[in-house]
Amino acid sequence: MKNFNDLDRIAVAMYDEKSDMLKTFINSTRQGYPIEKYEFKLSDCYTLNRLAKEGVYRVIDDIPDSIIASSPHSDWLLKQGYYSSFTVPIYDNGHFLGMIFFDSVKSAAFSSKIQRDLLMYSSLINMIISEEISAVRSIVTSAKVAREISNLRDFETGAHLERMARFARIIALELAESHNLSDEFIEHLYLFAPLHDIGKIGIPDKILLKPGKFDEAEITIMKGHVTKGVELVEKILGGFALTHLPDSIILKNIIGCHHEFLDGSGYPHGLRGDEIPIEARIVTASDIYDALTSVRPYKKAWSPDSAIDELTSMVRQGKLDPDCIQAIRKRLPDLVDITSKFAEIK
């Protein structure tokens, strides 16, 4: 930024109201290394929580003298050699959206004039992020409305969609380093994951809600929900003039490839191995895990350990990504916690 020679870092963290988590999202770091794939409960941080609720900003002129190494974030901040910071909360129509962090290796770098100038830039950043989030929400909301208008009565409840999206995010966080997944990618994966089966709104109820097994003709029709889903989302993107949205490809990959298996036995294209985008492989693992551990009209819920055994068997068969299943195994306590927090309402 012009006239901000002492500015060494700009970062944006996004807020998830349902979990009260503030999550790293995007950053531009001049030196050192950025903090990524990190989240914490906003209510656990008094000062940032106050900023969010009151809409005020914060200046720290001497970070080493003001902050104690008591968390991964504060440890990182001190190790990077930052001496001053300027923190600004951002909103979308009055709804708290997240935080913008400005940092400098120079002490007292944020004078009153610099603060005024950065507030102007913060407004521009706020506007850009709000527009992107609004675009994503428009897609998600439109798809949800389409489901409701079509009176979709599948067993894919809101709780199921919430769980599998959060499972997908956990898997992605575990794979972030090995697969070079950015915070922005992970956030969009989380937002788009619940739309994986949106094409089912185009499947007749007599097939979708059939209690018994499908015959060959019905299986063919049922498999058509993938293509129908991609077509629906393309229409939504076109209707909102969002075909240019860079991360729309993540959405289309999730919908179009979440029934593909690594051995080529999936559908609709019989893709193999790395031909299947990582976002689709993550969603497939998340969806199957939740299906196994949930009650269905035709089965009881499996235990988490039994579900892991089945997923491992599918890895041995060459169907599922072993890295995704290893991530589930590693973070199983977190998945169990999500299952408990977002249980079905009886």
Side-chain angles (χ1 to χ4, degrees), residues 237-310:
L237 290 169
F240 283 101
L242 297 174
T243 52
H244 67 285
L245 196 67
D247 292 301
S248 63
I249 188 62
I250 298 175
L251 173 59
K252 288 190 282 189
N253 284 343
I254 288 172
I255 294 172
C257 302
H258 73 281
H259 279 293
E260 301 283 0
F261 288 136
L262 298 187
D263 63 358
S265 65
Y267 64 89
H269 303 298
L271 301 179
R272 290 177 174 271
D274 290 339
E275 292 176 344
I276 306 170
I278 184 61
E279 54 265 36
R281 284 180 268 159
I282 291 172
V283 167
T284 298
S286 304
D287 194 32
I288 294 176
Y289 173 82
D290 191 67
L292 291 173
T293 55
S294 299
V295 175
R296 291 290 187 259
Y298 52 85
K299 74 170 190 67
K300 295 180 179 179
W302 291 25
S303 70
D305 288 338
S306 296
I308 287 289
D309 290 342
E310 178 63 19

Side-chain angles (χ1 to χ4, degrees), residues 83 115 121 154 157 168 242 304 325:
Y83 270 80
Q115 289 176 39
Y121 279 102
D154 196 8
T157 62
L242 297 174
I325 306 311

Side-chain angles (χ1 to χ4, degrees), residues 36 63 82 90 119 154 201 208 330:
E36 297 175 312
I63 289 176
Y82 293 128
I90 55 176
L119 284 174
D154 196 8
I201 67 173
L208 186 65
K330 182 177 179 180

Side-chain angles (χ1 to χ4, degrees), residues 46-295:
Y46 172 79
T47 55
L48 293 183
N49 197 30
R50 182 178 68 83
L51 263 59
K53 290 182 177 180
E54 299 180 7
V56 295
Y57 53 84
R58 180 188 70 177
V59 177
I60 299 179
D61 288 326
D62 191 338
I63 289 176
D65 189 51
S66 305
I67 292 180
I68 299 174
S70 58
S71 69
H73 178 260
S74 58
D75 289 350
W76 168 85
L77 196 62
L78 293 170
K79 287 178 181 178
Q80 295 307 297
Y82 293 128
Y83 270 80
S84 57
S85 69
F86 181 48
T87 305
V88 181
I90 55 176
Y91 301 85
D92 182 22
N93 293 319
H95 184 78
F96 177 58
L97 199 59
M99 298 278 185
I100 303 177
F101 299 94
F102 301 96
D103 296 296
S104 174
V105 295
K106 179 181 177 181
S107 61
F110 300 99
S111 64
S112 296
K113 180 182 184 307
I114 294 296
Q115 289 176 39
R116 288 194 299 271
D117 291 342
L118 287 179
L119 284 174
M120 180 184 67
Y121 279 102
S122 295
S123 296
L124 293 175
I125 295 171
N126 193 158
M127 181 179 66
I128 292 169
I129 292 177
S130 292
E131 287 180 352
E132 180 176 352
I133 295 299
S134 294
V136 171
R137 286 175 178 166
S138 295
I139 297 169
V140 174
T141 299
S142 297
K144 287 180 179 178
V145 169
R147 290 173 62 97
E148 293 169 1
I149 291 176
S150 300
N151 292 314
L152 183 60
R153 293 295 181 266
D154 196 8
F155 40 71
E156 290 199 334
T157 62
H160 160 69
L161 299 176
E162 188 73 52
R163 290 192 301 269
M164 61 83 57
R166 292 179 182 276
F167 296 160
R169 185 172 184 275
I170 286 177
I171 294 171
L173 285 169
E174 282 300 312
L175 301 186
E177 184 174 354
S178 60
H179 289 70
N180 195 29
L181 307 181
S182 68
D183 283 324
E184 190 173 8
F185 172 93
I186 294 171
E187 185 67 16
H188 284 94
L189 169 67
Y190 165 68
L191 292 171
F192 290 143
L195 302 183
H196 64 291
D197 267 340
I198 189 61
K200 285 184 176 179
I201 67 173
I203 304 300
D205 282 354
K206 65 180 182 179
I207 296 177
L208 186 65
L209 306 180
K210 184 178 178 179
K213 292 184 177 181
F214 298 142
D215 60 31
E216 290 297 325
E218 290 168 337
I219 290 175
T220 299
I221 293 173
M222 191 65 178
K223 288 182 175 180
H225 81 273
V226 174
T227 301
K228 291 179 183 294
V230 174
E231 292 173 350
L232 174 62
V233 165
E234 286 179 342
K235 288 181 180 179
I236 292 174
L237 290 169
F240 283 101
L242 297 174
T243 52
H244 67 285
L245 196 67
D247 292 301
S248 63
I249 188 62
I250 298 175
L251 173 59
K252 288 190 282 189
N253 284 343
I254 288 172
I255 294 172
C257 302
H258 73 281
H259 279 293
E260 301 283 0
F261 288 136
L262 298 187
D263 63 358
S265 65
Y267 64 89
H269 303 298
L271 301 179
R272 290 177 174 271
D274 290 339
E275 292 176 344
I276 306 170
I278 184 61
E279 54 265 36
R281 284 180 268 159
I282 291 172
V283 167
T284 298
S286 304
D287 194 32
I288 294 176
Y289 173 82
D290 191 67
L292 291 173
T293 55
S294 299
V295 175

